[in-house]
Amino acid sequence: MDTLAPPAAPVRRPRITLWTLRLMLSVHLLAVLAQPVLAGRYLIGDVDAMAAHGLVGSLLALVAMFVIAAALAYVLVVRGRVWILPVTVLLFLADGFQIGVGYSRELNLHVPLGVGIVVGAVLLTTWAWMPVAARPRGRR
């Protein structure tokens, strides 16, 4: 006996929210990657580079807030991966702490934390551009 099953509900794939997340993470990554370049420019004698380093660093906190908003939309609207939300909040907190230790000239914390932020931003942005990021969470 052949029974007709009801058609499966279409799977909502992250489109706009994923592209927004990708864009925000990419902007964040570009700013993060500019930081060691600007610091290096300062170390070779370009004193104006330190002002740019401070400005870009301060803007990173703003960009990280947009990353959190994009991650929230990705998680809630299209059932994207939940782990991305606490990771983006942690990235925001790390950026904020990095700004504080930078302005207080605590280079023993500022430099290794900066390396960690660069590595984390590279990994997170790489994940966002992989096909696995476009797959919604499974139904419960």
Side-chain angles (χ1 to χ4, degrees):
M1 181 158 106
D2 189 43
T3 61
L4 295 175
V11 176
R12 288 181 56 180
R13 300 194 77 126
R15 289 195 172 90
I16 292 174
T17 56
L18 178 60
W19 281 103
T20 303
L21 181 62
R22 286 173 174 167
L23 175 67
M24 290 293 99
L25 283 170
S26 296
V27 167
H28 184 270
L29 178 61
L30 288 174
V32 164
L33 292 176
Q35 289 300 80
V37 174
L38 292 168
R41 299 281 310 156
Y42 173 75
L43 291 175
I44 62 170
D46 182 1
V47 292
D48 294 333
M50 189 50 60
H53 180 78
L55 176 63
V56 171
S58 296
L59 289 175
L60 271 171
L62 179 64
V63 173
M65 284 190 255
F66 284 109
V67 170
I68 292 171
L72 187 61
Y74 169 75
V75 168
L76 295 178
V77 174
V78 291
R79 298 181 47 82
R81 302 292 190 269
V82 174
W83 63 264
I84 193 78
L85 195 53
V87 170
T88 57
V89 170
L90 184 62
L91 185 64
F92 168 73
L93 294 174
D95 287 346
F97 186 68
Q98 178 73 337
I99 292 165
V101 297
Y103 279 114
S104 67
R105 305 219 190 293
E106 296 284 337
L107 297 181
N108 57 333
L109 291 173
H110 188 69
V111 173
L113 180 57
V115 171
I117 289 171
V118 168
V119 170
V122 166
L123 292 174
L124 199 55
T125 305
T126 300
W127 171 84
W129 285 97
M130 294 176 71
V132 69
R135 291 189 212 128
R137 292 192 311 265
R139 297 184 190 268
R140 294 180 187 208

